[in-house]
Amino acid sequence: MDTCIGTKIIYIWELVEEFMDVKMEASWKEVVKDEFDKPYFQNLVEFVKSEYQNQTIYPPGNKLFTALDHTPFEKVKVVILGQDPYHGPGQAHGLSFSVPDGIPHPPSLKNIFKELQTDLGLEIPKSGNLERWADQGVLLLNATLTVRAGQAGSHQKKGWETFTDAIIQKLSEQKEQLVFILWGAYAQKKGSIIDPSKHFIIKSAHPSPLSAYNGFFGSQPFSKTNAYLKSMGKPEIQW
């Protein structure tokens, strides 16, 4: 890499770290470093920085890249794509569909747990914190990583989608035998860049109450994931 370019990339990442105290696991910094020097990412940094300074933004800045920090690139086995962080107080903490301990389960998460119970016969967890999944190699990635309080979709089309597309592209190209769980039309459209000849793709309706009865319930994503992982000689996820 050209020394000047490398120095600039490091500087841009240092700006991100400085204003939000963010953490990103080292392997991901290497995988996505080329994005840091692109104009869209520089514009995104300025936009997000301004938003955190002037608005109430979720998740907290230091939780922005929790998905990447909890699940190193080399340990990813499963990817669950979400759309936006939760926009209510205390809900978002950087993992798609997940909420911190002690926070009531949002409607989509309630339905995810209902399907988990039906699919695998497991008790519905008291906590909606899915870090236990992330630590086993389940990348819980939202397409957009920030949102204004009470304003769903408010940070869409600001550059996050380009960044998360790059993440999905790198996973598809550089890894094999991953499971991609795509719930709903939005995730399925975003997942169109995944190579189906290398990876196992599970598609169904979204777990939202508006669509869960149209194909999410009964879709068995958890048992299908584990059956595939087992067939590939990989450890199953302890859901």
Side-chain angles (χ1 to χ4, degrees):
M1 180 187 294
D2 182 274
T3 302
C4 292
I5 294 175
T7 301
K8 188 174 182 182
I9 289 172
I10 292 170
Y11 171 69
I12 293 168
W13 178 251
E14 286 176 346
L15 283 179
V16 176
E17 289 184 313
E18 178 184 355
F19 82 81
M20 288 186 295
D21 188 31
V22 296
K23 297 177 182 178
M24 183 188 292
E25 196 276 331
S27 64
W28 279 111
K29 288 184 185 179
E30 181 65 24
V31 167
V32 300
K33 66 183 180 183
D34 291 347
E35 301 302 305
F36 298 158
D37 193 45
K38 294 179 179 179
Y40 89 86
F41 193 83
Q42 297 174 47
N43 292 336
L44 176 61
V45 167
E46 291 304 316
F47 168 74
V48 174
K49 181 178 179 180
S50 175
E51 286 287 281
Y52 272 99
Q53 289 173 339
N54 297 292
Q55 304 287 336
T56 299
I57 303 299
Y58 301 131
N62 63 355
K63 300 291 186 182
L64 183 57
F65 294 117
T66 297
L68 303 182
D69 197 47
H70 261 281
T71 312
F73 181 79
E74 64 272 12
K75 293 186 177 180
V76 176
K77 296 191 293 185
V78 180
V79 181
I80 298 180
L81 288 180
Q83 187 167 348
D84 260 356
Y86 295 122
H87 54 84
Q91 293 180 310
H93 67 143
L95 302 175
S96 62
F97 297 103
S98 178
V99 292
D101 294 328
I103 299 297
H105 301 171
S108 290
L109 185 57
K110 286 182 180 179
N111 287 338
I112 290 170
F113 285 158
K114 285 180 182 178
E115 177 61 20
L116 179 63
Q117 184 179 49
T118 302
D119 189 7
L120 296 178
L122 300 177
E123 291 293 324
I124 292 178
K126 292 181 180 179
S127 174
N129 190 335
L130 302 181
E131 288 179 357
R132 63 188 182 280
W133 295 3
D135 291 338
Q136 295 179 71
V138 180
L139 182 66
L140 297 163
L141 182 68
N142 279 317
T144 302
L145 299 187
T146 53
V147 68
R148 279 190 186 183
Q151 298 182 41
S154 51
H155 283 187
Q156 291 178 3
K157 300 181 181 179
K158 302 295 184 181
W160 279 131
E161 294 92 341
T162 303
F163 180 69
T164 52
D165 275 352
I167 290 172
I168 295 168
Q169 188 81 47
K170 295 288 188 181
L171 287 167
S172 179
E173 292 176 352
Q174 296 183 22
K175 296 180 74 69
E176 295 182 351
Q177 301 171 355
L178 297 181
V179 179
F180 288 87
I181 299 177
L182 309 179
W183 289 328
Y186 184 92
Q188 289 164 26
K189 182 178 180 181
K190 189 172 181 67
S192 63
I193 58 178
I194 300 164
D195 185 348
S197 69
K198 295 173 61 181
H199 306 287
F200 183 50
I201 301 173
I202 298 173
K203 299 180 181 180
S204 77
H206 194 275
S208 162
L210 298 175
S211 56
Y213 287 96
N214 293 326
F216 174 74
F217 289 134
S219 61
Q220 302 179 313
F222 307 105
S223 60
K224 288 177 181 177
T225 293
N226 279 352
Y228 177 78
L229 292 174
K230 185 176 181 180
S231 73
M232 294 295 114
K234 297 181 179 182
E236 298 176 30
I237 303 297
Q238 300 301 310
W239 300 104

